[in-house]
Amino acid sequence: MPKKAETYVVGNFKGGVGKSTTVQMLSFESAFRKNRKTLVIDLDPQGNTSDVLSLTAENFGNENLPEEFDSTIWEAVRSGNIQSSIYQIMPNLDLIPANISFSDFPDYMIEKYPSDKLSQFKYMEKLIEPLKDIYDVIYIDVPPTISTYSNAAMYVAEYVIVILQTQVKALKGAQNYIDYMSFFIEQYDTDLEVVGIVPFMMQKRDSVDQEIYTAAKDIYGAHLLDTVVLNQSRLKRYDGSGITYDINKNGKVEQWDKRAHEVFVNILDEIDEHRLILSGEE
């Protein structure tokens, strides 16, 4: 039986912790460095991931991408046809984009399946499931809230990557996310496992950051990745420029790009190891 795509939802119930950045970077490394056929599904009406990957396409010479996506996840949900909403960003990396029109999704699902949340989730599952036969890996970006968006993603995915910014509120947000995930699994009889918790945007010399990181290690143990995403201005720059992988005059990757990318390659490697353990393949 052919292997289906590993499907990840990336989450935390606190905004601004690096969730969308992680989706963007992991999907890029998966496609560009690991040569995996990779799909990003943007389920966040803000569409930040869609915007950054659109800029990334320009950086890598993709001139076929339209200035504005004429078919998004919203059109796919309403028509039942998801294929026409898939755009190639670069070799091995595709995107199903979102924009503000997708904010009508919860109301649309309630209208379609009144008082039947499970059917709402299964509708999204039916839409996305055929894509698992096409791709090696799928990453889903969602808003930082308990919502129809995040619930549908949890139902579709096999694994959760939790983002932990080393701040008190983010630590609580990560724990709330995991607690809710456990409730969701029991409530809707689905399979979902935490494959890794990513410490994000830590300041090396900040004593509070260090205390939160130590507390997280005590709470989460082996789930907490060894690789830490330190505060990097290059990652912030990608928000406005798209992801870059610039080569200098000596034929080597530009230093700051190299540093940003190596961190996420290491995260990808750790997540792969965790997934193999969870699936019993190691």
Side-chain angles (χ1 to χ4, degrees):
M1 183 177 176
K3 187 177 178 183
K4 287 181 175 285
E6 289 126 17
T7 308
Y8 300 88
V9 57
V10 180
N12 188 304
F13 286 150
K14 181 181 181 299
V17 297
K19 176 181 56 59
S20 293
T21 298
T22 300
V23 170
Q24 296 151 23
M25 294 301 293
L26 288 183
S27 64
F28 180 91
E29 310 307 344
S30 171
F32 188 73
R33 300 287 292 274
K34 299 290 187 180
N35 295 314
R36 296 170 181 165
K37 190 166 177 58
T38 305
L39 174 68
V40 173
I41 303 175
D42 193 351
L43 295 187
D44 188 338
Q46 291 188 55
N48 291 337
T49 286
S50 299
D51 291 342
V52 171
L53 291 183
S54 180
L55 291 168
T56 301
E58 294 177 21
N59 296 337
F60 284 82
N62 183 352
E63 298 177 355
N64 297 320
L65 209 64
E67 286 188 18
E68 291 188 10
F69 297 111
D70 51 11
S71 183
T72 68
I73 186 65
W74 179 226
E75 281 73 30
V77 164
R78 287 187 298 166
S79 69
N81 175 20
I82 203 165
Q83 292 290 339
S84 60
S85 297
I86 299 173
Y87 295 85
Q88 184 182 59
I89 299 301
M90 54 190 289
N92 287 325
L93 180 57
D94 291 350
L95 167 70
I96 297 175
N99 58 31
I100 197 64
S101 64
F102 195 48
S103 58
D104 285 337
F105 173 64
D107 289 340
Y108 181 79
M109 285 290 97
I110 290 170
E111 184 180 329
K112 196 173 183 68
Y113 301 106
S115 305
D116 188 353
K117 288 188 176 181
L118 184 58
S119 291
Q120 295 174 19
F121 309 150
K122 285 186 174 181
Y123 182 84
M124 184 63 81
E125 180 189 44
K126 184 179 179 182
L127 199 63
I128 292 173
E129 193 67 22
L131 302 178
K132 294 184 180 182
D133 295 323
I134 300 171
Y135 293 93
D136 298 319
V137 59
I138 297 172
Y139 295 98
I140 306 175
D141 194 15
V142 293
T145 56
I146 298 174
S147 61
T148 307
Y149 310 100
S150 54
N151 286 341
M154 280 187 176
Y155 196 81
V156 169
E158 302 160 273
Y159 303 106
V160 169
I161 300 170
V162 180
I163 307 305
L164 173 65
Q165 193 173 21
T166 46
Q167 296 177 357
V168 175
K169 288 182 180 178
L171 182 63
K172 187 174 181 181
Q175 188 58 57
N176 288 345
Y177 190 93
I178 292 169
D179 289 344
Y180 180 75
M181 187 192 84
S182 299
F183 159 79
F184 186 88
I185 291 167
E186 184 176 343
Q187 183 80 3
Y188 297 105
D189 190 27
T190 188
D191 295 321
L192 190 63
E193 297 185 89
V194 176
V195 72
I197 299 171
V198 181
F200 204 92
M201 286 298 184
M202 190 170 81
Q203 301 275 4
K204 262 187 175 180
R205 294 184 177 86
D206 190 302
S207 60
V208 174
D209 280 19
Q210 293 293 337
E211 287 173 15
I212 296 298
Y213 180 68
T214 301
K217 286 179 74 173
D218 291 340
I219 294 169
Y220 301 119
H223 280 106
L224 189 71
L225 301 193
D226 293 327
T227 304
V228 176
V229 183
L230 298 176
N231 198 353
Q232 295 187 47
S233 59
R234 183 53 55 106
L235 291 176
K236 295 176 184 176
R237 194 188 84 166
Y238 290 162
D239 285 343
S241 69
I243 299 168
T244 56
Y245 199 81
D246 292 336
I247 306 298
N248 62 28
K249 61 183 179 181
N250 297 319
K252 296 182 178 180
V253 182
E254 192 272 335
Q255 177 186 357
W256 297 109
D257 272 345
K258 181 179 179 181
R259 185 174 295 181
H261 286 286
E262 287 304 321
V263 169
F264 284 92
V265 169
N266 292 339
I267 288 172
L268 200 55
D269 287 342
E270 282 199 71
I271 287 171
D272 284 347
E273 290 174 12
H274 286 204
R275 179 183 52 76
L276 288 172
I277 292 169
L278 288 172
S279 64
E281 296 178 46
E282 185 173 285

